[in-house]
Amino acid sequence: VKLQTLRKDFEMLQMKEEESVTNFFRRTMEIANKMRCHGEKIEDVTVVENFLHSMTREFNYVVCSVEESKDIDDLSLDELLSSSLVQK
């Protein structure tokens, strides 16, 4: 039951208006790590894609820039955060 709740939270995750990239990344990783602790085999690419697609419209240019300049399948979570912060 807990894992199902976490899956829903992960799927419904959205960046809040005025939320920092760092805080949104932290919230995303918190849910992903809890899912992993409950046995979910969630890959980094899934976290990367969800993070990018859950950012507010204000960050559309960041999402486009990261998607165009990086191979999303091979992008590490650390690279995702640093790329998102640099683009901001």
Side-chain angles (χ1 to χ4, degrees):
V1 172
K2 181 68 174 172
L3 184 54
Q4 289 176 333
T5 302
L6 290 168
R7 283 181 186 143
K8 183 176 181 184
D9 290 346
F10 186 75
E11 291 171 8
M12 302 299 293
L13 188 65
Q14 288 292 313
M15 185 177 199
K16 298 174 185 172
E17 293 295 326
E18 306 300 321
E19 183 174 26
S20 70
V21 171
T22 305
N23 191 55
F24 180 55
F25 184 80
R26 181 194 55 76
R27 285 195 312 119
T28 302
M29 291 308 303
E30 187 176 287
I31 294 171
N33 288 335
K34 285 180 182 177
M35 289 170 66
R36 287 176 175 146
C37 286
H38 284 84
E40 183 76 9
K41 295 185 186 330
I42 185 169
E43 296 185 25
D44 286 353
V45 68
T46 304
V47 177
V48 168
E49 289 172 346
N50 194 57
F51 178 83
L52 290 174
H53 295 131
S54 300
M55 296 180 88
T56 60
R57 290 180 188 218
E58 174 186 352
F59 293 97
N60 280 350
Y61 71 95
V62 174
V63 173
C64 289
S65 177
V66 169
E67 288 179 339
E68 289 179 11
S69 66
K70 307 283 184 186
D71 181 3
I72 300 298
D73 292 334
D74 295 326
L75 188 65
S76 74
L77 296 171
D78 289 335
E79 289 174 317
L80 171 65
L81 179 58
S82 62
S83 293
S84 298
L85 291 171
V86 168
Q87 296 294 327
K88 184 181 183 253

Coordinates of all heavy atoms in Angstrom, one line a residue:
V1 N 0.8 -1.2 0.0 CA 0.0 0.0 0.0 C 0.9 1.2 0.0 O 0.6 2.2 -0.7 CB -1.0 0.0 1.2 CG1 -1.7 1.3 1.3 CG2 -1.9 -1.1 1.1
K2 N 1.9 1.2 0.8 CA 2.8 2.4 0.9 C 3.5 2.6 -0.5 O 3.6 3.8 -0.9 CB 3.9 2.2 2.0 CG 4.9 3.3 2.1 CD 4.2 4.5 2.7 CE 5.2 5.6 3.0 NZ 4.6 6.8 3.4
L3 N 3.9 1.6 -1.2 CA 4.5 1.7 -2.5 C 3.6 2.3 -3.5 O 3.9 3.1 -4.3 CB 5.1 0.4 -2.9 CG 5.9 0.4 -4.2 CD1 7.0 1.4 -4.2 CD2 6.5 -1.0 -4.5
Q4 N 2.3 1.9 -3.4 CA 1.3 2.4 -4.4 C 1.1 3.9 -4.1 O 1.0 4.7 -5.1 CB 0.0 1.7 -4.2 CG 0.0 0.3 -4.7 CD -1.3 -0.5 -4.5 OE1 -2.0 -0.2 -3.5 NE2 -1.5 -1.5 -5.3
T5 N 1.1 4.3 -2.9 CA 1.0 5.7 -2.5 C 2.2 6.5 -3.1 O 2.0 7.6 -3.6 CB 0.8 5.9 -1.0 OG1 -0.3 5.2 -0.6 CG2 0.7 7.4 -0.6
L6 N 3.4 6.0 -2.9 CA 4.6 6.6 -3.4 C 4.6 6.7 -4.9 O 5.0 7.8 -5.4 CB 5.8 5.9 -2.9 CG 6.1 6.0 -1.4 CD1 7.2 5.0 -0.9 CD2 6.5 7.4 -1.0
R7 N 4.1 5.7 -5.6 CA 4.1 5.7 -7.0 C 3.1 6.8 -7.5 O 3.5 7.6 -8.4 CB 3.6 4.4 -7.6 CG 4.6 3.3 -7.6 CD 4.0 2.0 -8.2 NE 4.9 0.9 -8.0 CZ 4.5 -0.3 -7.8 NH1 3.2 -0.6 -7.6 NH2 5.4 -1.3 -7.7
K8 N 2.0 7.0 -6.8 CA 1.1 8.0 -7.2 C 1.7 9.4 -6.9 O 1.5 10.3 -7.7 CB -0.3 7.8 -6.4 CG -1.3 8.9 -6.8 CD -2.6 8.6 -6.2 CE -3.6 9.7 -6.7 NZ -4.9 9.6 -6.0
D9 N 2.3 9.5 -5.8 CA 3.0 10.8 -5.4 C 4.0 11.2 -6.5 O 4.1 12.3 -6.9 CB 3.6 10.7 -4.1 CG 2.6 10.7 -2.9 OD1 1.4 11.0 -3.1 OD2 3.1 10.3 -1.8
F10 N 4.8 10.2 -6.9 CA 5.8 10.4 -8.0 C 5.2 10.8 -9.3 O 5.7 11.7 -9.9 CB 6.7 9.1 -8.1 CG 7.8 9.3 -9.0 CD1 9.0 10.0 -8.6 CD2 7.8 8.7 -10.3 CE1 10.1 10.1 -9.4 CE2 8.9 8.9 -11.1 CZ 10.0 9.6 -10.7
E11 N 4.1 10.1 -9.7 CA 3.5 10.4 -10.9 C 2.8 11.8 -10.9 O 2.7 12.5 -11.9 CB 2.4 9.3 -11.3 CG 3.0 8.0 -11.6 CD 2.0 6.9 -11.7 OE1 0.8 7.2 -11.7 OE2 2.4 5.7 -11.8
M12 N 2.3 12.2 -9.8 CA 1.6 13.5 -9.7 C 2.5 14.6 -9.3 O 2.0 15.8 -9.2 CB 0.5 13.3 -8.6 CG -0.5 12.2 -8.9 SD -1.4 12.5 -10.4 CE -2.4 13.9 -10.0
L13 N 3.7 14.4 -9.1 CA 4.7 15.4 -8.6 C 4.8 16.6 -9.6 O 4.9 16.4 -10.8 CB 6.1 14.7 -8.5 CG 7.2 15.6 -7.8 CD1 6.8 15.9 -6.4 CD2 8.5 14.8 -7.9
Q14 N 4.6 17.8 -9.1 CA 4.7 19.0 -9.9 C 5.5 20.0 -9.1 O 5.4 20.1 -7.9 CB 3.3 19.5 -10.2 CG 2.5 18.7 -11.2 CD 3.1 18.8 -12.6 OE1 3.5 19.9 -13.1 NE2 3.3 17.6 -13.2
M15 N 6.3 20.7 -9.8 CA 7.1 21.8 -9.2 C 6.1 22.9 -8.8 O 5.1 23.2 -9.5 CB 8.1 22.4 -10.2 CG 9.0 23.4 -9.6 SD 10.2 23.9 -10.8 CE 11.4 24.7 -9.8
K16 N 6.2 23.5 -7.6 CA 5.3 24.5 -7.1 C 5.8 25.9 -7.7 O 7.0 26.1 -7.9 CB 5.3 24.6 -5.6 CG 4.8 23.3 -5.0 CD 4.9 23.3 -3.5 CE 4.5 22.0 -2.9 NZ 4.8 21.9 -1.4
E17 N 4.9 26.8 -7.9 CA 5.3 28.1 -8.3 C 6.2 28.7 -7.2 O 6.0 28.5 -6.0 CB 4.0 29.0 -8.4 CG 3.1 28.6 -9.5 CD 3.7 28.8 -10.9 OE1 4.5 29.7 -11.1 OE2 3.4 27.9 -11.8
E18 N 7.2 29.4 -7.6 CA 8.2 30.0 -6.7 C 9.1 29.0 -6.0 O 9.9 29.4 -5.1 CB 7.5 31.0 -5.7 CG 6.6 32.0 -6.3 CD 7.3 32.9 -7.3 OE1 8.5 33.3 -7.0 OE2 6.7 33.3 -8.3
E19 N 9.0 27.7 -6.3 CA 9.8 26.7 -5.7 C 11.2 26.7 -6.4 O 11.3 26.8 -7.6 CB 9.2 25.4 -5.8 CG 10.0 24.3 -5.1 CD 9.3 22.9 -5.1 OE1 8.4 22.7 -5.9 OE2 9.6 22.1 -4.2
S20 N 12.2 26.6 -5.6 CA 13.6 26.5 -6.2 C 13.8 25.2 -6.8 O 13.2 24.2 -6.5 CB 14.7 26.8 -5.1 OG 14.7 25.7 -4.2
V21 N 14.7 25.2 -7.8 CA 15.1 23.9 -8.5 C 15.7 23.0 -7.5 O 15.4 21.8 -7.5 CB 16.2 24.2 -9.6 CG1 16.7 22.9 -10.2 CG2 15.5 25.1 -10.7
T22 N 16.5 23.5 -6.6 CA 17.1 22.6 -5.5 C 16.1 21.9 -4.7 O 16.1 20.7 -4.4 CB 18.1 23.4 -4.7 OG1 19.0 24.1 -5.5 CG2 18.8 22.5 -3.7
N23 N 15.1 22.7 -4.2 CA 14.0 22.1 -3.4 C 13.2 21.1 -4.1 O 12.8 20.1 -3.6 CB 13.1 23.2 -2.8 CG 12.2 22.7 -1.7 OD1 12.7 22.1 -0.7 ND2 10.9 22.9 -1.9
F24 N 12.9 21.4 -5.4 CA 12.1 20.5 -6.2 C 12.9 19.2 -6.4 O 12.3 18.1 -6.3 CB 11.6 21.1 -7.5 CG 10.8 20.2 -8.4 CD1 9.7 19.6 -7.9 CD2 11.2 19.9 -9.6 CE1 8.9 18.8 -8.7 CE2 10.4 19.1 -10.4 CZ 9.3 18.5 -9.9
F25 N 14.1 19.3 -6.7 CA 15.0 18.2 -6.9 C 15.0 17.3 -5.6 O 14.9 16.1 -5.6 CB 16.4 18.6 -7.3 CG 17.3 17.4 -7.6 CD1 17.3 16.8 -8.8 CD2 18.2 17.0 -6.6 CE1 18.1 15.7 -9.1 CE2 19.1 15.9 -6.9 CZ 19.0 15.3 -8.1
R26 N 15.1 18.0 -4.5 CA 15.1 17.3 -3.2 C 13.8 16.5 -3.0 O 13.8 15.3 -2.6 CB 15.3 18.3 -2.0 CG 15.4 17.6 -0.6 CD 15.3 18.6 0.5 NE 14.1 19.4 0.4 CZ 12.8 19.0 0.7 NH1 12.6 17.8 1.1 NH2 11.8 19.8 0.6
R27 N 12.7 17.2 -3.2 CA 11.4 16.5 -3.1 C 11.3 15.3 -4.0 O 10.8 14.2 -3.7 CB 10.2 17.4 -3.4 CG 10.0 18.4 -2.3 CD 8.6 19.2 -2.4 NE 8.3 19.7 -3.7 CZ 7.3 19.3 -4.4 NH1 6.4 18.4 -4.0 NH2 7.0 19.9 -5.6
T28 N 11.8 15.5 -5.3 CA 11.7 14.4 -6.2 C 12.5 13.2 -5.8 O 12.1 12.0 -5.8 CB 12.2 14.9 -7.6 OG1 11.4 16.0 -8.0 CG2 12.2 13.8 -8.7
M29 N 13.8 13.5 -5.3 CA 14.6 12.4 -4.9 C 14.1 11.7 -3.6 O 14.3 10.5 -3.4 CB 16.1 12.9 -4.7 CG 16.8 13.3 -5.9 SD 16.7 12.0 -7.2 CE 17.5 10.7 -6.3
E30 N 13.5 12.5 -2.7 CA 12.9 11.9 -1.5 C 11.9 10.9 -1.8 O 11.9 9.8 -1.3 CB 12.3 13.1 -0.7 CG 11.9 12.7 0.7 CD 11.4 13.9 1.4 OE1 12.2 14.7 1.9 OE2 10.1 14.0 1.6
I31 N 11.0 11.2 -2.8 CA 10.0 10.2 -3.1 C 10.6 9.0 -3.9 O 10.3 7.8 -3.6 CB 8.9 10.8 -4.0 CG1 8.1 11.9 -3.2 CG2 8.0 9.8 -4.6 CD1 7.2 12.7 -4.0
A32 N 11.5 9.3 -4.8 CA 12.2 8.2 -5.5 C 13.0 7.2 -4.6 O 12.9 6.0 -4.7 CB 13.1 8.7 -6.6
N33 N 13.7 7.8 -3.6 CA 14.4 7.0 -2.7 C 13.5 6.2 -1.8 O 13.8 5.0 -1.5 CB 15.4 7.9 -1.9 CG 16.6 8.4 -2.7 OD1 16.9 7.8 -3.7 ND2 17.1 9.5 -2.3
K34 N 12.4 6.7 -1.4 CA 11.4 6.0 -0.6 C 10.9 4.8 -1.4 O 10.7 3.7 -0.9 CB 10.3 6.9 -0.1 CG 10.7 7.8 1.0 CD 9.5 8.7 1.5 CE 9.9 9.6 2.6 NZ 8.8 10.5 2.9
M35 N 10.6 5.1 -2.7 CA 10.1 4.0 -3.5 C 11.2 2.9 -3.6 O 10.8 1.7 -3.6 CB 9.8 4.5 -4.9 CG 8.6 5.4 -5.0 SD 8.4 6.3 -6.6 CE 8.1 4.9 -7.7
R36 N 12.4 3.2 -3.8 CA 13.5 2.2 -3.8 C 13.6 1.5 -2.5 O 13.8 0.2 -2.6 CB 14.8 2.9 -4.2 CG 14.9 3.4 -5.6 CD 16.2 4.2 -5.9 NE 16.3 4.5 -7.3 CZ 16.8 5.6 -7.8 NH1 17.3 6.5 -7.0 NH2 16.9 5.8 -9.1
C37 N 13.4 2.1 -1.4 CA 13.5 1.5 -0.1 C 12.3 0.4 0.0 O 12.5 -0.5 0.8 CB 13.4 2.5 1.0 SG 14.9 3.4 1.3
H38 N 11.2 0.7 -0.7 CA 10.1 -0.2 -0.6 C 10.1 -1.3 -1.7 O 9.1 -1.9 -2.0 CB 8.8 0.5 -0.6 CG 8.5 1.2 0.7 ND1 9.0 2.4 1.1 CD2 7.7 0.7 1.7 CE1 8.6 2.7 2.3 NE2 7.8 1.7 2.7
G39 N 11.3 -1.4 -2.4 CA 11.4 -2.5 -3.4 C 11.2 -2.1 -4.8 O 11.3 -2.9 -5.7
E40 N 10.9 -0.8 -5.1 CA 10.7 -0.4 -6.5 C 12.0 -0.3 -7.2 O 12.9 0.3 -6.7 CB 9.9 1.0 -6.5 CG 9.6 1.5 -7.9 CD 8.4 0.8 -8.5 OE1 7.7 0.0 -7.8 OE2 8.1 1.0 -9.7
K41 N 12.1 -0.8 -8.4 CA 13.3 -0.7 -9.2 C 13.1 0.5 -10.2 O 12.9 0.3 -11.4 CB 13.5 -2.0 -10.0 CG 13.8 -3.2 -9.1 CD 14.2 -4.4 -9.9 CE 14.3 -5.7 -9.1 NZ 14.8 -5.7 -7.8
I42 N 13.3 1.7 -9.7 CA 13.1 2.9 -10.4 C 14.5 3.3 -10.9 O 15.4 3.5 -10.2 CB 12.4 4.0 -9.6 CG1 12.1 5.2 -10.5 CG2 13.2 4.4 -8.4 CD1 11.2 6.2 -9.8
E43 N 14.6 3.5 -12.2 CA 15.9 3.8 -12.9 C 16.0 5.4 -12.8 O 15.1 6.1 -12.8 CB 15.9 3.3 -14.3 CG 15.9 1.8 -14.3 CD 16.1 1.3 -15.7 OE1 16.7 2.0 -16.6 OE2 15.6 0.1 -16.0
D44 N 17.3 5.8 -12.9 CA 17.6 7.2 -12.9 C 17.0 7.9 -14.1 O 16.5 9.0 -13.9 CB 19.1 7.4 -12.9 CG 19.8 7.1 -11.6 OD1 19.1 6.9 -10.6 OD2 21.0 7.2 -11.5
V45 N 16.9 7.3 -15.2 CA 16.3 7.9 -16.4 C 14.8 8.3 -16.1 O 14.3 9.3 -16.6 CB 16.5 7.1 -17.7 CG1 15.7 5.8 -17.6 CG2 16.1 7.9 -18.9
T46 N 14.2 7.4 -15.4 CA 12.8 7.7 -15.0 C 12.7 8.9 -14.1 O 11.8 9.7 -14.3 CB 12.1 6.5 -14.3 OG1 12.3 5.3 -15.2 CG2 10.7 6.7 -14.0
V47 N 13.6 9.0 -13.2 CA 13.6 10.2 -12.3 C 13.9 11.4 -13.1 O 13.3 12.5 -12.9 CB 14.6 10.0 -11.1 CG1 14.7 11.2 -10.3 CG2 14.2 8.7 -10.3
V48 N 14.9 11.4 -14.0 CA 15.3 12.5 -14.8 C 14.1 13.0 -15.6 O 13.8 14.2 -15.7 CB 16.5 12.1 -15.7 CG1 16.7 13.2 -16.8 CG2 17.7 11.9 -14.9
E49 N 13.5 12.1 -16.3 CA 12.3 12.4 -17.2 C 11.2 13.0 -16.4 O 10.6 14.0 -16.8 CB 11.8 11.2 -18.0 CG 12.8 10.8 -19.0 CD 12.4 9.5 -19.7 OE1 11.6 8.7 -19.2 OE2 13.0 9.1 -20.8
N50 N 10.9 12.4 -15.3 CA 9.8 13.0 -14.4 C 10.1 14.4 -13.9 O 9.3 15.2 -13.9 CB 9.5 12.0 -13.3 CG 8.2 12.3 -12.6 OD1 7.1 12.4 -13.2 ND2 8.2 12.6 -11.3
F51 N 11.4 14.5 -13.5 CA 11.8 15.8 -13.0 C 11.6 16.9 -14.0 O 11.1 18.0 -13.8 CB 13.2 15.7 -12.5 CG 13.8 17.0 -12.0 CD1 13.6 17.5 -10.7 CD2 14.6 17.8 -12.8 CE1 14.1 18.7 -10.2 CE2 15.1 19.0 -12.4 CZ 14.9 19.5 -11.1
L52 N 12.1 16.6 -15.2 CA 12.1 17.6 -16.3 C 10.7 18.0 -16.7 O 10.3 19.1 -17.0 CB 12.9 17.1 -17.5 CG 14.4 17.1 -17.3 CD1 15.1 16.4 -18.5 CD2 15.0 18.5 -17.1
H53 N 9.8 16.9 -16.8 CA 8.5 17.2 -17.2 C 7.5 17.7 -16.2 O 6.4 18.0 -16.5 CB 7.9 15.9 -17.9 CG 8.6 15.5 -19.1 ND1 9.1 14.2 -19.3 CD2 9.0 16.2 -20.2 CE1 9.7 14.2 -20.5 NE2 9.7 15.4 -21.0
S54 N 8.0 17.8 -14.9 CA 7.2 18.3 -13.8 C 7.6 19.7 -13.4 O 7.0 20.2 -12.5 CB 7.3 17.3 -12.6 OG 6.9 16.1 -13.0
M55 N 8.5 20.3 -14.1 CA 8.9 21.7 -13.8 C 7.9 22.6 -14.3 O 7.1 22.3 -15.2 CB 10.3 22.0 -14.4 CG 11.4 21.1 -13.9 SD 13.0 21.5 -14.6 CE 13.5 22.8 -13.5
T56 N 7.8 23.8 -13.7 CA 6.8 24.8 -14.1 C 7.2 25.4 -15.5 O 8.3 25.2 -15.9 CB 6.8 26.0 -13.1 OG1 8.0 26.6 -13.0 CG2 6.3 25.5 -11.7
R57 N 6.3 26.0 -16.1 CA 6.5 26.6 -17.5 C 7.7 27.6 -17.5 O 8.3 27.8 -18.5 CB 5.2 27.3 -17.9 CG 4.1 26.4 -18.3 CD 2.9 27.2 -18.8 NE 1.8 26.3 -18.9 CZ 0.9 26.3 -19.9 NH1 1.0 27.3 -20.8 NH2 0.0 25.5 -19.9
E58 N 7.9 28.2 -16.3 CA 9.0 29.2 -16.2 C 10.3 28.5 -16.6 O 11.2 29.2 -17.0 CB 9.0 29.6 -14.7 CG 10.2 30.5 -14.4 CD 10.2 30.8 -12.9 OE1 9.3 30.5 -12.2 OE2 11.2 31.4 -12.5
F59 N 10.4 27.2 -16.4 CA 11.7 26.5 -16.7 C 11.6 25.7 -18.0 O 12.5 24.9 -18.3 CB 12.0 25.5 -15.5 CG 12.3 26.3 -14.3 CD1 11.3 26.5 -13.3 CD2 13.6 26.7 -14.1 CE1 11.6 27.1 -12.1 CE2 13.9 27.4 -12.9 CZ 12.9 27.6 -11.9
N60 N 10.7 26.0 -18.9 CA 10.6 25.3 -20.2 C 12.0 25.5 -21.0 O 12.4 24.5 -21.6 CB 9.5 25.9 -21.1 CG 8.2 25.3 -20.7 OD1 8.1 24.3 -19.9 ND2 7.1 25.8 -21.2
Y61 N 12.6 26.6 -20.9 CA 13.8 26.8 -21.6 C 14.9 25.9 -21.0 O 15.8 25.4 -21.7 CB 14.3 28.3 -21.6 CG 14.7 28.8 -20.3 CD1 16.0 28.8 -20.0 CD2 13.8 29.3 -19.4 CE1 16.4 29.3 -18.7 CE2 14.2 29.8 -18.2 CZ 15.5 29.8 -17.8 OH 15.9 30.3 -16.6
V62 N 14.9 25.7 -19.7 CA 15.9 24.8 -19.1 C 15.7 23.4 -19.5 O 16.6 22.7 -19.9 CB 15.7 24.9 -17.5 CG1 16.7 23.9 -16.8 CG2 16.0 26.3 -17.0
V63 N 14.4 23.0 -19.6 CA 14.1 21.6 -20.0 C 14.6 21.4 -21.4 O 15.2 20.4 -21.7 CB 12.6 21.3 -19.9 CG1 12.2 20.0 -20.5 CG2 12.1 21.4 -18.4
C64 N 14.3 22.3 -22.3 CA 14.7 22.2 -23.7 C 16.2 22.2 -23.8 O 16.7 21.4 -24.6 CB 14.1 23.4 -24.5 SG 12.4 23.3 -24.8
S65 N 16.8 23.0 -23.1 CA 18.3 23.1 -23.2 C 18.9 21.8 -22.7 O 19.9 21.3 -23.3 CB 18.8 24.3 -22.3 OG 20.2 24.3 -22.3
V66 N 18.4 21.3 -21.6 CA 19.0 20.0 -21.1 C 18.7 18.9 -22.0 O 19.6 18.0 -22.3 CB 18.4 19.7 -19.7 CG1 18.7 18.3 -19.2 CG2 18.9 20.7 -18.6
E67 N 17.5 18.8 -22.6 CA 17.1 17.7 -23.5 C 17.9 17.8 -24.8 O 18.3 16.8 -25.4 CB 15.6 17.8 -23.8 CG 14.8 17.3 -22.6 CD 13.3 17.3 -22.9 OE1 12.8 18.1 -23.8 OE2 12.6 16.7 -22.2
E68 N 18.2 19.0 -25.2 CA 19.0 19.1 -26.5 C 20.5 18.9 -26.3 O 21.2 18.5 -27.2 CB 18.7 20.5 -27.1 CG 17.3 20.6 -27.6 CD 17.0 22.0 -28.2 OE1 18.0 22.8 -28.4 OE2 15.9 22.3 -28.5
S69 N 21.0 19.3 -25.2 CA 22.4 19.2 -25.0 C 22.9 17.9 -24.3 O 24.1 17.7 -24.3 CB 22.9 20.4 -24.2 OG 22.4 20.4 -22.8
K70 N 22.1 17.2 -23.8 CA 22.4 16.0 -23.0 C 21.7 14.8 -23.5 O 20.6 14.9 -24.0 CB 22.1 16.1 -21.5 CG 22.7 17.4 -20.9 CD 24.1 17.2 -20.6 CE 24.6 18.5 -19.8 NZ 26.0 18.5 -19.6
D71 N 22.3 13.6 -23.4 CA 21.6 12.3 -23.7 C 20.8 12.0 -22.4 O 21.5 11.6 -21.4 CB 22.6 11.3 -24.1 CG 21.9 9.9 -24.4 OD1 20.7 9.9 -24.4 OD2 22.6 9.0 -24.7
I72 N 19.5 12.1 -22.4 CA 18.7 11.9 -21.2 C 18.9 10.5 -20.6 O 18.9 10.3 -19.4 CB 17.2 12.2 -21.5 CG1 17.0 13.6 -21.9 CG2 16.4 11.8 -20.3 CD1 17.4 14.6 -20.9
D73 N 19.1 9.5 -21.5 CA 19.3 8.1 -21.1 C 20.5 7.9 -20.2 O 20.6 7.0 -19.4 CB 19.3 7.2 -22.2 CG 17.9 7.1 -22.9 OD1 16.9 7.3 -22.3 OD2 17.9 6.8 -24.1
D74 N 21.5 8.8 -20.5 CA 22.8 8.6 -19.8 C 23.1 9.7 -18.7 O 24.1 9.8 -18.1 CB 24.0 8.6 -20.8 CG 23.9 7.4 -21.7 OD1 23.5 6.3 -21.2 OD2 24.3 7.5 -22.8
L75 N 22.1 10.6 -18.6 CA 22.3 11.7 -17.7 C 22.2 11.3 -16.2 O 21.2 10.7 -15.8 CB 21.2 12.8 -18.0 CG 21.3 14.1 -17.3 CD1 22.6 14.9 -17.7 CD2 20.1 15.0 -17.6
S76 N 23.2 11.6 -15.4 CA 23.1 11.2 -14.0 C 22.3 12.2 -13.3 O 22.0 13.3 -13.7 CB 24.6 11.2 -13.4 OG 25.0 12.5 -13.2
L77 N 21.9 11.9 -12.1 CA 21.1 12.8 -11.3 C 21.8 14.0 -10.9 O 21.3 15.1 -10.8 CB 20.5 12.0 -10.1 CG 19.6 10.9 -10.4 CD1 19.2 10.0 -9.2 CD2 18.3 11.4 -11.1
D78 N 23.1 13.8 -10.6 CA 24.0 15.0 -10.2 C 24.1 15.9 -11.4 O 24.1 17.1 -11.3 CB 25.4 14.5 -9.8 CG 25.4 13.9 -8.4 OD1 24.4 14.2 -7.6 OD2 26.3 13.1 -8.1
E79 N 24.3 15.4 -12.6 CA 24.4 16.2 -13.8 C 23.1 16.9 -14.1 O 23.1 18.1 -14.5 CB 24.7 15.3 -15.1 CG 26.1 14.8 -15.1 CD 26.4 13.8 -16.2 OE1 25.5 13.0 -16.5 OE2 27.4 14.0 -16.9
L80 N 22.0 16.2 -13.8 CA 20.6 16.9 -14.0 C 20.5 18.1 -13.1 O 20.1 19.2 -13.6 CB 19.5 15.9 -13.7 CG 18.1 16.4 -13.6 CD1 17.7 17.0 -15.0 CD2 17.2 15.4 -13.1
L81 N 20.9 17.9 -11.9 CA 20.7 19.1 -10.9 C 21.7 20.2 -11.3 O 21.3 21.4 -11.4 CB 21.0 18.6 -9.5 CG 21.0 19.7 -8.4 CD1 19.6 20.4 -8.5 CD2 21.3 19.2 -7.1
S82 N 22.9 19.9 -11.6 CA 23.9 20.9 -12.0 C 23.5 21.6 -13.3 O 23.6 22.8 -13.4 CB 25.3 20.4 -12.0 OG 25.5 19.4 -13.0
S83 N 23.0 20.9 -14.3 CA 22.6 21.4 -15.6 C 21.4 22.3 -15.3 O 21.3 23.4 -15.9 CB 22.2 20.3 -16.6 OG 23.3 19.6 -16.9
S84 N 20.5 21.9 -14.5 CA 19.3 22.7 -14.2 C 19.6 24.0 -13.5 O 19.0 25.1 -13.8 CB 18.3 21.9 -13.4 OG 17.8 20.8 -14.1
L85 N 20.6 23.9 -12.6 CA 21.0 25.1 -11.9 C 21.8 26.1 -12.7 O 21.6 27.3 -12.7 CB 21.8 24.8 -10.6 CG 21.1 24.1 -9.5 CD1 22.0 23.5 -8.5 CD2 20.0 25.0 -8.9
V86 N 22.6 25.6 -13.6 CA 23.4 26.4 -14.5 C 22.5 27.2 -15.5 O 22.7 28.3 -15.8 CB 24.5 25.6 -15.3 CG1 25.1 26.3 -16.4 CG2 25.5 25.1 -14.3
Q87 N 21.5 26.5 -16.0 CA 20.6 27.1 -17.0 C 19.7 28.1 -16.4 O 19.2 29.0 -17.1 CB 19.8 26.0 -17.6 CG 20.5 25.0 -18.4 CD 21.2 25.6 -19.6 OE1 20.7 26.5 -20.2 NE2 22.4 25.1 -20.0
K88 N 19.5 28.0 -15.1 CA 18.6 29.0 -14.4 C 19.2 30.3 -14.5 O 19.1 31.3 -14.7 CB 18.3 28.5 -13.0 CG 17.3 29.4 -12.3 CD 17.0 28.9 -11.0 CE 16.0 29.7 -10.3 NZ 16.4 30.6 -9.3

